[in-house]
Protein backbone atom coordinates (compact mmCIF):
# COMPACT_ATOMS: atom_id res chain seq x y z
CA UNK A 1 0.00 0.00 0.00
CA UNK A 2 1.24 3.46 -0.89
CA UNK A 3 2.22 5.56 2.11
CA UNK A 4 -0.30 8.25 3.03
CA UNK A 5 0.66 11.41 4.89
CA UNK A 6 -1.78 13.21 7.16
CA UNK A 7 -1.58 16.53 8.95
CA UNK A 8 -2.45 16.85 12.62
CA UNK A 9 -5.84 18.32 11.78
CA UNK A 10 -7.22 14.96 10.63
CA UNK A 11 -5.52 12.57 13.08
CA UNK A 12 -6.14 11.79 16.74
CA UNK A 13 -4.00 9.04 18.26
CA UNK A 14 -4.84 9.52 21.94
CA UNK A 15 -8.38 8.42 22.76
CA UNK A 16 -10.10 6.85 25.78
CA UNK A 17 -13.58 5.46 26.46
CA UNK A 18 -15.73 4.01 29.22
CA UNK A 19 -13.18 1.22 29.61
CA UNK A 20 -10.82 3.37 31.70
CA UNK A 21 -13.45 4.01 34.36
CA UNK A 22 -13.02 7.79 34.28
CA UNK A 23 -14.24 8.20 30.69
CA UNK A 24 -17.60 7.66 29.04
CA UNK A 25 -18.91 6.46 25.70
CA UNK A 26 -18.58 3.34 23.59
CA UNK A 27 -15.78 2.75 21.09
CA UNK A 28 -18.25 2.91 18.19
CA UNK A 29 -19.49 6.32 19.39
CA UNK A 30 -15.97 7.75 19.26
CA UNK A 31 -15.46 6.29 15.79
CA UNK A 32 -18.70 7.86 14.60
CA UNK A 33 -17.78 11.22 16.12
CA UNK A 34 -14.41 11.02 14.35
CA UNK A 35 -16.13 10.48 11.00
CA UNK A 36 -18.50 13.38 11.63
CA UNK A 37 -15.57 15.62 12.56
CA UNK A 38 -13.70 14.78 9.37
CA UNK A 39 -10.84 12.79 10.88
CA UNK A 40 -8.98 10.34 8.68
CA UNK A 41 -7.13 8.35 11.35
CA UNK A 42 -8.32 7.52 14.87
CA UNK A 43 -6.25 5.62 17.41
CA UNK A 44 -7.66 4.22 20.64
CA UNK A 45 -5.19 4.34 23.53
CA UNK A 46 -6.97 3.08 26.60
CA UNK A 47 -4.96 3.14 29.83
CA UNK A 48 -3.13 -0.16 29.81
CA UNK A 49 -3.79 -2.63 32.63
CA UNK A 50 -0.99 -4.90 33.79
CA UNK A 51 -1.20 -8.55 34.90
CA UNK A 52 -0.57 -7.80 38.60
CA UNK A 53 -3.47 -5.27 38.69
CA UNK A 54 -1.32 -2.28 39.64
CA UNK A 55 -3.16 1.04 39.03
CA UNK A 56 -6.49 -0.81 39.16
CA UNK A 57 -8.40 2.32 40.25
CA UNK A 58 -7.78 4.01 36.90
CA UNK A 59 -7.55 1.09 34.46
CA UNK A 60 -9.84 -1.46 32.91
CA UNK A 61 -9.56 -4.97 34.32
CA UNK A 62 -6.80 -7.03 32.74
CA UNK A 63 -9.47 -9.51 31.63
CA UNK A 64 -11.26 -6.76 29.67
CA UNK A 65 -8.44 -6.27 27.18
CA UNK A 66 -9.83 -8.77 24.61
CA UNK A 67 -13.23 -7.03 24.76
CA UNK A 68 -11.62 -3.62 24.21
CA UNK A 69 -9.61 -4.88 21.26
CA UNK A 70 -12.64 -6.62 19.75
CA UNK A 71 -14.68 -3.41 20.07
CA UNK A 72 -12.02 -1.62 18.04
CA UNK A 73 -12.03 -4.34 15.37
CA UNK A 74 -15.82 -4.03 15.18
CA UNK A 75 -15.53 -0.23 14.80
CA UNK A 76 -13.29 -0.74 11.77
CA UNK A 77 -16.02 -2.53 9.86
CA UNK A 78 -17.51 -0.45 7.03
CA UNK A 79 -15.79 2.63 8.43
CA UNK A 80 -14.41 5.24 5.99
CA UNK A 81 -11.53 6.15 8.32
CA UNK A 82 -8.54 4.18 9.61
CA UNK A 83 -9.08 2.95 13.18
CA UNK A 84 -6.03 1.77 15.13
CA UNK A 85 -5.57 -0.29 18.29
CA UNK A 86 -3.16 1.00 20.91
CA UNK A 87 -2.60 1.52 24.63
CA UNK A 88 -1.35 4.33 26.85
CA UNK A 89 1.22 2.72 29.14
CA UNK A 90 2.55 3.95 32.45
CA UNK A 91 6.14 2.83 32.42
CA UNK A 92 8.01 0.81 35.01
CA UNK A 93 11.03 -1.28 33.96
CA UNK A 94 9.51 -4.52 35.28
CA UNK A 95 6.81 -4.29 32.62
CA UNK A 96 9.24 -3.96 29.69
CA UNK A 97 8.77 -7.51 28.36
CA UNK A 98 5.00 -7.35 28.87
CA UNK A 99 4.81 -4.10 26.88
CA UNK A 100 7.05 -5.59 24.18
CA UNK A 101 4.56 -8.43 23.74
CA UNK A 102 1.70 -5.92 23.66
CA UNK A 103 3.45 -3.77 21.09
CA UNK A 104 3.85 -6.80 18.80
CA UNK A 105 0.08 -7.32 18.61
CA UNK A 106 -1.13 -3.71 18.47
CA UNK A 107 -0.62 -0.82 16.07
CA UNK A 108 1.43 1.32 18.48
CA UNK A 109 1.90 2.23 22.13
CA UNK A 110 2.26 5.61 23.83
CA UNK A 111 3.81 6.31 27.23
CA UNK A 112 2.99 8.54 30.15
CA UNK A 113 3.65 8.77 33.86
CA UNK A 114 0.62 9.26 36.10
CA UNK A 115 1.72 7.52 39.29
CA UNK A 116 4.86 8.04 41.39
CA UNK A 117 4.44 5.19 43.88
CA UNK A 118 6.26 1.87 43.69
CA UNK A 119 3.91 0.42 46.32
CA UNK A 120 1.44 -2.02 44.75
CA UNK A 121 -1.29 -0.99 47.17
CA UNK A 122 -0.90 2.78 46.90
CA UNK A 123 -1.27 5.16 43.99
CA UNK A 124 0.47 8.54 44.22
CA UNK A 125 -1.02 10.28 41.22
CA UNK A 126 0.35 13.49 39.76
CA UNK A 127 -3.30 14.55 39.57
CA UNK A 128 -4.12 13.88 43.23
CA UNK A 129 -1.09 15.25 45.07
CA UNK A 130 0.87 18.48 45.29
CA UNK A 131 4.25 17.52 43.88
CA UNK A 132 7.53 18.11 45.70
CA UNK A 133 10.93 18.67 44.13
CA UNK A 134 11.71 15.02 44.91
CA UNK A 135 8.52 13.96 43.13
CA UNK A 136 9.58 15.98 40.11
CA UNK A 137 12.94 14.21 40.00
CA UNK A 138 11.25 10.80 40.16
CA UNK A 139 8.78 11.80 37.44
CA UNK A 140 11.66 12.85 35.21
CA UNK A 141 13.57 9.62 35.77
CA UNK A 142 10.56 7.43 34.97
CA UNK A 143 9.59 9.49 31.93
CA UNK A 144 13.10 9.32 30.48
CA UNK A 145 13.27 5.58 31.04
CA UNK A 146 10.01 5.25 29.13
CA UNK A 147 11.36 7.29 26.22
CA UNK A 148 14.52 5.19 26.14
CA UNK A 149 12.68 1.86 26.23
CA UNK A 150 12.17 1.63 22.46
CA UNK A 151 8.48 0.86 22.95
CA UNK A 152 6.60 4.04 22.24
CA UNK A 153 5.48 6.15 19.29
CA UNK A 154 5.30 9.28 21.44
CA UNK A 155 5.31 10.46 25.02
CA UNK A 156 1.95 11.79 26.15
CA UNK A 157 1.60 15.11 28.01
CA UNK A 158 5.24 15.25 29.20
CA UNK A 159 4.51 18.48 31.08
CA UNK A 160 1.57 17.04 33.06
CA UNK A 161 3.67 17.52 36.21
CA UNK A 162 2.61 21.17 35.97
CA UNK A 163 -0.92 20.20 37.00
CA UNK A 164 0.26 20.06 40.60
CA UNK A 165 3.66 21.79 40.41
CA UNK A 166 2.79 25.42 39.94
CA UNK A 167 6.13 27.22 39.67
CA UNK A 168 8.60 27.40 36.82
CA UNK A 169 11.73 27.14 38.93
CA UNK A 170 15.15 25.55 38.45
CA UNK A 171 13.73 22.09 39.19
CA UNK A 172 10.89 22.43 36.69
CA UNK A 173 13.30 23.70 34.04
CA UNK A 174 15.78 20.88 34.73
CA UNK A 175 13.00 18.29 34.57
CA UNK A 176 11.74 19.69 31.28
CA UNK A 177 15.19 19.93 29.75
CA UNK A 178 16.02 16.33 30.68
CA UNK A 179 12.79 14.98 29.16
CA UNK A 180 13.18 17.02 25.98
CA UNK A 181 16.83 16.04 25.53
CA UNK A 182 15.95 12.41 26.13
CA UNK A 183 13.15 12.53 23.57
CA UNK A 184 15.44 14.14 21.00
CA UNK A 185 18.25 11.63 21.53
CA UNK A 186 15.85 8.66 21.55
CA UNK A 187 13.94 9.80 18.47
CA UNK A 188 10.60 9.69 20.27
CA UNK A 189 7.99 12.40 19.72
CA UNK A 190 6.41 14.44 22.51
CA UNK A 191 2.75 15.44 22.68
CA UNK A 192 1.08 18.78 23.28
CA UNK A 193 -2.09 17.54 24.95
CA UNK A 194 -5.27 19.58 24.65
CA UNK A 195 -7.00 17.80 27.54
CA UNK A 196 -5.14 20.05 29.96
CA UNK A 197 -6.64 23.05 28.20
CA UNK A 198 -10.11 21.75 29.09
CA UNK A 199 -9.32 21.48 32.79
CA UNK A 200 -9.65 24.29 35.32
CA UNK A 201 -6.88 26.83 34.88
CA UNK A 202 -4.09 27.01 37.43
CA UNK A 203 -3.47 30.21 39.38
CA UNK A 204 0.21 31.07 39.77
CA UNK A 205 2.21 34.09 40.90
CA UNK A 206 2.52 35.01 37.22
CA UNK A 207 -1.25 34.73 36.65
CA UNK A 208 -3.55 32.04 35.32
CA UNK A 209 -2.32 29.39 32.92
CA UNK A 210 -3.44 26.08 31.50
CA UNK A 211 -3.05 23.09 33.82
CA UNK A 212 -0.96 21.80 30.91
CA UNK A 213 0.48 22.32 28.37
CA UNK A 214 2.73 25.02 29.80
CA UNK A 215 4.44 27.53 27.56
CA UNK A 216 7.97 27.47 29.08
CA UNK A 217 8.25 23.72 28.53
CA UNK A 218 7.41 24.00 24.84
CA UNK A 219 9.49 27.13 24.28
CA UNK A 220 12.40 25.08 25.62
CA UNK A 221 11.43 22.18 23.34
CA UNK A 222 11.53 24.51 20.33
CA UNK A 223 15.30 24.79 20.85
CA UNK A 224 15.80 21.04 20.28
CA UNK A 225 15.34 18.70 17.28
CA UNK A 226 12.38 16.99 18.89
CA UNK A 227 9.30 15.85 16.96
CA UNK A 228 6.04 17.25 18.37
CA UNK A 229 2.49 15.96 17.93
CA UNK A 230 -0.83 16.97 19.41
CA UNK A 231 -3.92 15.01 20.41
CA UNK A 232 -7.19 15.64 22.19
CA UNK A 233 -6.88 12.88 24.83
CA UNK A 234 -10.65 12.47 24.52
CA UNK A 235 -12.53 10.90 27.42
CA UNK A 236 -15.96 11.32 25.83
CA UNK A 237 -17.04 11.29 22.18
CA UNK A 238 -17.66 15.05 22.00
CA UNK A 239 -13.96 15.63 22.79
CA UNK A 240 -12.70 13.61 19.83
CA UNK A 241 -10.79 16.58 18.49
CA UNK A 242 -11.52 19.32 20.98
CA UNK A 243 -9.16 22.26 21.30
CA UNK A 244 -7.27 21.93 18.01
CA UNK A 245 -7.49 25.67 17.37
CA UNK A 246 -6.06 26.40 20.82
CA UNK A 247 -3.25 23.89 20.35
CA UNK A 248 -2.29 25.34 16.98
CA UNK A 249 -2.15 28.85 18.43
CA UNK A 250 -0.23 27.59 21.44
CA UNK A 251 2.34 25.73 19.34
CA UNK A 252 2.87 28.78 17.16
CA UNK A 253 3.42 30.96 20.25
CA UNK A 254 5.96 28.43 21.52
CA UNK A 255 7.77 28.28 18.18
CA UNK A 256 6.81 24.65 17.58
CA UNK A 257 6.11 23.09 14.18
CA UNK A 258 3.78 20.13 14.50
CA UNK A 259 4.75 16.91 12.72
CA UNK A 260 2.81 15.03 10.06
CA UNK A 261 1.77 11.39 10.37
CA UNK A 262 2.57 8.77 7.75
CA UNK A 263 0.55 5.57 7.52
CA UNK A 264 1.67 2.62 5.44
CA UNK A 265 0.43 -0.96 5.73
CA UNK A 266 -1.08 -0.17 9.10
CA UNK A 267 2.20 1.20 10.47
CA UNK A 268 2.14 4.79 11.70
CA UNK A 269 5.26 6.96 11.78
CA UNK A 270 6.07 10.62 12.26
CA UNK A 271 7.92 13.28 10.33
CA UNK A 272 8.11 17.03 9.91
Amino acid sequence: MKAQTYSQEVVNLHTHSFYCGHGSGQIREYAQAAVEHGLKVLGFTEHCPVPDSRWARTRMDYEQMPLYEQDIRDARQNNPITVLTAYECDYLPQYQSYYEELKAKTDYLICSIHDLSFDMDREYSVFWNTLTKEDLALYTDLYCKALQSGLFLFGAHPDVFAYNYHVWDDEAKACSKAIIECAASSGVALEINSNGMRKRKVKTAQGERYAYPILPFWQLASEYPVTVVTNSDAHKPSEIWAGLDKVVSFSQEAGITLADYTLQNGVVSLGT
Side-chain angles (χ1 to χ4, degrees):
M1 179 186 295
K2 182 180 178 181
Q4 292 180 285
T5 299
Y6 301 97
S7 66
Q8 296 279 322
E9 288 81 0
V10 294
V11 179
N12 187 56
L13 295 186
H14 189 167
T15 312
H16 299 281
S17 70
F18 81 95
Y19 276 106
C20 70
H22 56 279
S24 62
Q26 301 287 329
I27 296 291
R28 65 177 182 276
E29 295 176 306
Y30 286 82
Q32 181 59 39
V35 172
E36 293 171 356
H37 187 80
L39 294 188
K40 302 298 183 184
V41 183
L42 175 65
F44 285 96
T45 51
E46 203 52 89
H47 293 286
C48 187
V50 290
D52 59 15
S53 298
R54 186 189 294 268
W55 308 311
R57 291 178 62 183
T58 52
R59 305 289 183 275
M60 72 175 91
D61 292 337
Y62 180 71
E63 292 75 17
Q64 287 182 290
M65 294 175 74
L67 296 175
Y68 163 71
E69 293 171 14
Q70 182 60 53
D71 274 357
I72 298 173
R73 287 193 291 270
D74 291 343
R76 290 179 182 147
Q77 302 302 312
N78 302 314
N79 200 311
I81 68 173
T82 298
V83 180
L84 302 175
T85 303
Y87 287 94
E88 180 180 2
C89 305
D90 273 65
Y91 187 78
L92 287 176
Q94 61 260 42
Y95 300 126
Q96 176 78 22
S97 60
Y98 167 65
Y99 288 150
E100 287 174 353
E101 294 174 3
L102 198 59
K103 182 181 179 181
K105 70 169 189 172
T106 56
D107 295 307
Y108 63 95
L109 301 176
I110 67 175
C111 66
S112 58
I113 302 297
H114 295 89
D115 180 60
L116 300 178
S117 173
F118 295 109
D119 185 343
M120 278 288 298
D121 299 319
R122 173 176 176 259
E123 286 191 51
Y124 188 80
S125 170
V126 298
F127 287 109
W128 305 340
N129 300 277
T130 299
L131 302 187
T132 66
K133 298 181 190 301
E134 292 75 17
D135 292 334
L136 203 59
L138 177 57
Y139 175 88
T140 304
D141 180 63
L142 290 173
Y143 206 103
C144 286
K145 286 178 178 175
L147 294 173
Q148 293 166 339
S149 70
L151 292 167
F152 303 112
L153 180 64
F154 61 83
H157 43 61
D159 52 345
V160 75
F161 64 83
Y163 185 86
N164 268 320
Y165 194 89
H166 294 171
V167 293
W168 181 255
D169 56 9
D170 289 343
E171 283 77 16
K173 186 174 181 179
C175 162
S176 302
K177 184 177 179 181
I179 289 172
I180 293 163
E181 289 181 346
C182 189
S185 63
S186 302
V188 182
L190 295 177
E191 175 201 66
I192 300 176
N193 184 290
S194 74
N195 191 21
M197 294 176 166
R198 300 192 293 275
K199 298 181 183 298
R200 184 176 62 187
K201 286 192 172 182
V202 169
K203 293 182 179 179
T204 74
Q206 291 73 42
E208 283 193 340
R209 63 158 170 80
Y210 293 124
Y212 58 93
I214 58 170
L215 193 60
F217 181 100
W218 295 102
Q219 288 174 326
L220 187 60
S222 72
E223 300 173 10
Y224 291 82
V226 63
T227 302
V228 179
V229 300
T230 185
N231 293 287
S232 72
D233 194 359
H235 283 72
K236 53 187 177 182
S238 62
E239 295 175 347
I240 200 64
W241 208 192
L244 175 62
D245 54 342
K246 291 182 180 179
V247 168
V248 170
S249 296
F250 179 91
S251 62
Q252 290 172 344
E253 183 179 359
I256 293 289
T257 299
L258 298 173
D260 291 329
Y261 291 101
T262 298
L263 190 66
Q264 186 171 22
N265 298 325
V267 178
V268 62
S269 59
L270 291 156
T272 55

